[in-house]
Amino acid sequence: MSTLQLPCVQHLNSLSKSTGRPIVLASASPRRKDILDKLNLSHKIIPSTFPETLDHSAFGDAAAYALTNASEKAKDVYRTLSASSGSSDEPRPLLIISADTVVVTLDTHPPTRSASSQQTFTILEKPRDADHHRAMLKKLSGRSHAVVTGVTLLIPSNSPSGKDSFRLRSFQSTTVVHFAKLPDPWIDAYVESGDGSDKAGGYGYQSLGLFLATSIEGCAYNVAGFPAHDFVVKLDQIIKDGEL
């Protein structure tokens, strides 16, 4: 089986191994785990318990909302690990990776990969039940929408005196998805499959929802919940800047 050996990922894996400090994914998403596995990044999973109940209307755009959720998830896991390391010999993490993905319908502006230009928008998160799921897909049917992911990299202090300090490095990625006009039987079949019930926007582009979209603009992995290219670019820059 072929394996990927990106220099920035190799550096991080080596640093984690030599220091005994783990790289943590603050998410239970199997899709995010799969993407990190494809990048050959060694990591352990400690899901965040941060409740995603922030008021959408308090944010000027969807990117700000997703970035806030991502940073709060990372800090939540950091606090959990800090509490446990205080009473054990467990080392502090080397890096905590968190993400939040939302599907955004634009009410007055055409979709754009520049999330900052989204002025009037509706955020679609996970469907509450089957009826809500159908309504969500009907809203997306025949229209274009944006998938916005906020990613936060939390870097704990390397100094014993800075035990409770950390740095946050965040970015957002936006992909525009063009949906086909979906007949009701297609929507019903997809909802009944259960595939989209645990996903933002109510569909999985990378799974059984493969027939829903006609095309996309931007990173396909972003639609799956984690923008692989932008993550590697950010990680590479952080290492070159001497932060890891």
Side-chain angles (χ1 to χ4, degrees):
M1 180 179 178
S2 300
T3 58
L4 187 63
Q5 300 293 338
L6 287 170
C8 60
V9 173
Q10 284 184 292
H11 170 85
L12 205 58
N13 285 341
S14 177
L15 190 59
S16 176
K17 184 176 181 180
S18 65
T19 61
R21 298 174 63 188
I23 300 160
V24 174
L25 174 62
S27 172
S29 166
R31 296 166 294 280
R32 291 181 181 134
K33 178 188 183 303
D34 180 61
I35 292 169
L36 291 187
D37 285 344
K38 282 184 169 67
L39 293 173
N40 200 26
L41 181 65
S42 299
H43 63 280
K44 63 188 295 186
I45 295 173
I46 303 178
S48 168
T49 58
F50 175 73
E52 298 176 39
T53 55
L54 298 175
D55 181 3
H56 297 174
S57 65
F59 296 87
D61 57 61
Y65 173 81
L67 284 167
T68 300
N69 267 328
S71 65
E72 291 300 327
K73 289 177 182 180
K75 289 186 285 187
D76 173 67
V77 169
Y78 176 77
R79 286 190 291 266
T80 298
L81 293 175
S82 294
S84 63
S85 64
S87 57
S88 70
D89 295 329
E90 186 171 338
R92 284 171 294 138
L94 179 68
L95 177 69
I96 298 174
I97 303 165
S98 63
D100 186 63
T101 300
V102 295
V103 170
V104 186
T105 60
L106 305 181
D107 302 326
T108 60
H109 296 276
T112 170
R113 290 184 62 198
S114 176
S116 61
S117 67
Q118 297 169 4
Q119 298 176 18
T120 305
F121 60 91
T122 300
I123 292 176
L124 303 180
E125 298 193 81
K126 298 172 185 177
R128 296 185 299 271
D129 51 39
D131 287 341
H132 184 224
H133 197 175
R134 287 187 181 86
M136 193 176 285
L137 292 175
K138 286 182 179 181
K139 185 177 180 68
L140 296 175
S141 175
R143 299 178 60 187
S144 299
H145 61 271
V147 178
V148 181
T149 300
V151 178
T152 291
L153 307 181
L154 186 151
I155 308 168
S157 171
N158 193 36
S159 168
S161 61
K163 180 181 177 182
D164 296 322
S165 65
F166 56 82
R167 300 183 301 281
L168 296 178
R169 298 294 178 260
S170 300
F171 65 91
Q172 70 84 22
S173 295
T174 299
T175 302
V176 176
V177 180
H178 305 287
F179 255 34
K181 184 66 177 176
L182 304 174
D184 285 350
W186 291 19
I187 291 175
D188 290 341
Y190 186 66
V191 170
E192 289 165 9
S193 77
D195 178 65
S197 61
D198 63 339
K199 299 175 179 66
Y203 73 94
Y205 176 81
Q206 76 291 348
S207 53
L208 299 186
L210 73 171
F211 67 96
L212 300 171
T214 58
S215 62
I216 67 170
E217 300 171 41
C219 177
Y221 284 106
N222 185 47
V223 185
F226 198 78
H229 170 76
D230 289 346
F231 169 72
V232 171
V233 169
K234 189 70 171 179
L235 185 61
D236 191 56
Q237 187 60 56
I238 286 172
I239 292 170
K240 287 178 179 176
D241 289 344
E243 296 189 72
L244 278 171

